[in-house]
Amino acid sequence: MKILISDKIDENALSYLKEQKIDVDYLPEITPEELLKSISTYDALILRSRTRVTKEVIESGINLKVIARAGTGLDNIDIKAAEQKNIKVINTPSANVTAVAELTLGLMISLFRKLGLAYTSMKEGLWLKKDLKGSELNGKTIGIIGFGRIGKKVSELLSVFGVEILIYDLQNSTCSLEELFTRSDLITIHVALTPVTRGFINKKLLSLMKPSAFLINISRGEVVDEENLYEALVNKRIAGCALDVFWQEPLSADSRFRKLDNVILTPHIGAATHEALKKASQSVAEDVVRALKGE
Ligand code: MLT
């Protein structure tokens, strides 16, 4: 059995795979062209978010039995093409939950307390104490869109802050999407990118937000309509937003979003903790071994 690991994973998982006497090629910098050329020799592919497993890759993977994503989102894998070839697709939906939920809380406080401006102005030699009056989370209404593992964890972490929580989810809503957008002081998005969620935070929903409200997107860029979000931010229709994910990653150096003063940007680091990487890598390594053994 031969496994290709095409993105960076934790060392312990690599050692585990070697202990299992599995032939592993660890090529975390492999290019799309090299992947396409070499994939036919592998039984399993382990990846994170950098590698795109296109239909072409899957069709060239004549020996592929498993595609395993160390992480949650499967939007970089052509699932349909994998299904058609009977290739198992595995992810690690629990490994990143704490990391993403904790960063969400950090971004909430950063938005309410203007930490972006506080930080950059101090670096610039300024003392903006008078301009940096923020708001407390306490007493606010927080809208959570998507109440899967991460949405639930966010709500659990929020339970000590004295907030009202509104939830919109296909199975578990406390109100309509319109009510959530109208009433929330901050809305945070925790849905997977699917044909249904692509672009679903649109102009109409954004127009319902209070001018004092914030938005956090830590799910996938394409869930929010880029043009309409930019317009809402540049015209100060909403107070601001925090984006960890983008329509195109890496975000271009000259992106118009980098120039907005009411935006906090982070480079898709929701799951980037030592703990989450370790958990995701170990879980995926064990699952791949099980799948290759037909378990
Ligand atoms: C995930 O889907 O696991 C997270 O967004 C982390 C990532 O893709 O890097």
Side-chain angles (χ1 to χ4, degrees):
M1 290 293 177
K2 212 171 159 195
I3 301 180
L4 169 64
I5 304 174
S6 61
D7 288 322
K8 279 209 171 67
I9 68 163
D10 187 69
E11 293 292 329
N12 291 331
L14 278 177
S15 312
Y16 168 82
L17 288 171
K18 283 178 189 152
E19 277 161 26
Q20 303 301 307
K21 310 259 178 286
I22 290 178
D23 196 356
V24 177
D25 283 341
Y26 185 43
L27 302 171
E29 310 291 335
I30 193 168
T31 64
E33 296 75 29
E34 289 164 346
L35 175 67
L36 198 57
K37 242 193 239 163
S38 60
I39 194 67
S40 61
T41 56
Y42 296 100
D43 298 280
L45 171 64
I46 296 180
L47 63 135
R48 289 176 65 206
S49 55
R50 190 194 66 101
T51 304
R52 306 215 77 77
V53 189
T54 59
K55 190 166 189 232
E56 226 184 336
V57 169
I58 289 169
E59 280 169 359
S60 306
I62 48 174
N63 289 309
L64 264 189
K65 295 160 191 70
V66 192
I67 298 169
R69 164 81 162 91
T72 308
L74 291 171
D75 45 288
N76 52 334
I77 301 170
D78 190 329
I79 308 267
K80 234 195 211 152
E83 269 171 8
Q84 274 163 7
K85 289 200 67 197
N86 252 338
I87 297 171
K88 290 192 178 73
V89 178
I90 294 170
N91 68 343
T92 63
S94 303
N96 295 341
V97 170
T98 303
V100 178
E102 285 185 1
L103 182 63
T104 305
L105 263 287
L107 293 173
M108 282 184 191
I109 293 174
S110 301
L111 286 169
F112 279 124
R113 299 301 295 270
K114 306 184 180 171
L115 290 191
L117 180 58
Y119 174 80
T120 49
S121 57
M122 287 299 276
K123 289 275 179 185
E124 286 162 8
L126 301 168
W127 186 259
L128 297 184
K129 186 173 163 97
K130 282 198 205 98
D131 305 314
L132 285 168
K133 204 160 280 130
S135 304
E136 293 168 13
L137 253 176
N138 186 268
K140 298 293 180 301
T141 300
I142 306 295
I144 300 179
I145 299 180
F147 208 57
R149 292 174 176 83
I150 296 172
K152 284 194 180 108
K153 186 76 182 175
V154 169
S155 124
E156 189 189 312
L157 296 181
L158 279 172
S159 65
V160 295
F161 282 93
V163 296
E164 180 187 3
I165 294 177
L166 303 178
I167 296 160
Y168 181 80
D169 183 272
L170 288 181
Q171 282 153 23
N172 216 340
S173 299
T174 59
C175 64
S176 68
L177 199 50
E178 286 72 20
E179 183 181 346
L180 185 146
F181 270 80
T182 310
R183 289 189 48 214
S184 296
D185 297 302
L186 182 146
I187 295 165
T188 181
I189 307 168
H190 302 285
V191 295
L193 178 65
T194 68
V196 176
T197 61
R198 188 179 294 275
F200 106 108
I201 310 291
N202 54 22
K203 186 173 185 166
K204 181 174 163 252
L205 289 173
L206 291 169
S207 73
L208 297 176
M209 287 175 72
K210 300 183 207 179
S212 58
F214 296 105
L215 182 75
I216 294 179
N217 190 7
I218 195 165
S219 62
R220 286 295 181 266
E222 295 99 311
V223 170
V224 182
D225 184 285
E226 177 178 0
E227 200 55 45
N228 290 315
L229 177 63
Y230 181 77
E231 266 171 31
L233 288 164
V234 79
N235 297 323
K236 307 268 163 42
R237 259 277 312 113
I238 61 174
C241 84
L243 300 176
D244 184 53
V245 289
F246 301 91
W247 302 269
Q248 206 133 49
E249 293 185 10
L251 183 67
S252 65
D254 61 353
S255 163
R256 53 191 176 163
F257 283 87
R258 292 188 194 261
K259 299 176 182 96
L260 296 171
D261 59 7
N262 50 356
V263 171
I264 293 175
L265 306 172
T266 47
H268 200 150
I269 54 168
T273 64
H274 299 292
E275 295 86 347
L277 178 61
K278 199 169 176 175
K279 276 187 265 179
S281 305
Q282 189 62 29
S283 157
V284 99
E286 287 171 12
D287 283 352
V288 165
V289 171
R290 272 197 284 270
L292 287 179
K293 285 182 181 164
E295 290 171 15

